[in-house]
Amino acid sequence: VPTCKIDRDGAYWNTNIGGGELRVLPSTDLMAITGETAPFYSFCLEFSESIVADGIMVYNAAVLKEAILGDGNLDPVGPLGGDLLDPTTAWLYQSYRDGAITIGSNVEAGDLQAAIWHLEDETGWQDYNKLTEAAKDFVDGAVDAAPTDIGNVRVLHLWTGDPEKPTHWQDLLITTPIPAPGAILLGSMGVGLVGWMRRRRSL
């Protein structure tokens, strides 16, 4: 199973909202599948899920088009039963990865994180008027761009433990510039995880 570690080395983090940049250290397998070639920075998709960013804990990784579990705002619902990645979120993250959006402080990182949570309709972040002006600018830019698909951006779902009874952690953002059979493999792994989740919920 492809894996990664998470830390905050060189990252900007806003402690006031508990969000911001996270550095992802992908395994060789994950890099081969996604096309990532080195550690990269990402943001959380879920407000209500946790993550340990100590650079030691190893997470199993699945590359999907939807966030798994989350806080219940599953609209629209993806084929695996998760929360589909919004094209506006994908556009915002791609702009960040392309360098069109630069982060130079903890406050700015928090603004971008808040914009992502708002676009993903996370509980507590739906009210546009409660965002900072900078966060509103991020949201407005993504909405005005009116993207129709998620392009090369995907959800990096992190989990640990037994695949039959996984512990689900956080969903991050990742780019996948190369289409690969491995992406299908990871998607299948995601299907297995969600299949188990569905069985559990039906018990």
Side-chain angles (χ1 to χ4, degrees):
V1 178
T3 63
C4 67
K5 297 179 181 179
I6 308 293
D7 66 24
R8 294 181 188 161
D9 187 26
Y12 289 106
W13 183 264
N14 190 317
T15 56
N16 291 328
I17 69 168
E21 293 178 315
L22 290 167
R23 190 174 73 140
V24 181
L25 296 86
S27 67
T28 301
D29 289 341
L30 185 57
M31 287 191 287
I33 290 169
T34 63
E36 297 284 4
T37 58
F40 62 93
Y41 292 94
S42 187
F43 289 82
C44 296
L45 282 170
E46 306 293 342
F47 176 65
S48 60
E49 293 179 0
S50 61
I51 193 167
V52 178
D54 61 3
I56 300 173
M57 185 168 179
V58 177
Y59 294 96
N60 298 320
V63 179
L64 310 170
K65 293 184 177 181
E66 58 199 274
I68 304 303
L69 294 181
D71 64 5
N73 294 318
L74 302 181
D75 186 19
V77 177
L80 302 181
D83 190 357
L84 279 175
L85 179 62
D86 194 288
T88 54
T89 302
W91 182 90
L92 201 59
Y93 182 65
Q94 188 68 65
S95 298
Y96 166 80
R97 290 296 300 272
D98 290 344
I101 293 175
T102 58
I103 299 300
S105 70
N106 294 336
V107 171
E108 291 176 350
D111 290 332
L112 183 52
Q113 177 68 85
I116 290 170
W117 282 335
H118 174 78
L119 292 170
E120 289 298 307
D121 196 31
E122 291 298 294
T123 297
W125 296 94
Q126 296 102 328
D127 190 343
Y128 175 85
N129 293 321
K130 290 185 178 180
L131 299 176
T132 65
E133 291 304 313
K136 289 178 181 177
D137 288 342
F138 285 135
V139 170
D140 293 346
V143 172
D144 290 345
T148 58
D149 59 58
I150 62 174
N152 291 327
V153 178
R154 296 291 185 271
V155 175
L156 181 66
H157 177 64
L158 305 180
W159 59 279
T160 57
D162 186 340
E164 289 297 315
K165 296 183 179 180
T167 297
H168 299 282
W169 289 83
Q170 179 61 264
D171 294 292
L172 303 179
L173 291 160
I174 189 171
T175 59
T176 57
I178 57 171
I184 298 174
L185 169 64
L186 282 178
S188 298
M189 295 164 72
V191 171
L193 290 173
V194 178
W196 177 84
M197 288 164 50
R198 286 176 174 163
R199 291 194 300 274
R200 182 183 63 176
R201 287 174 175 171
S202 65
L203 296 178

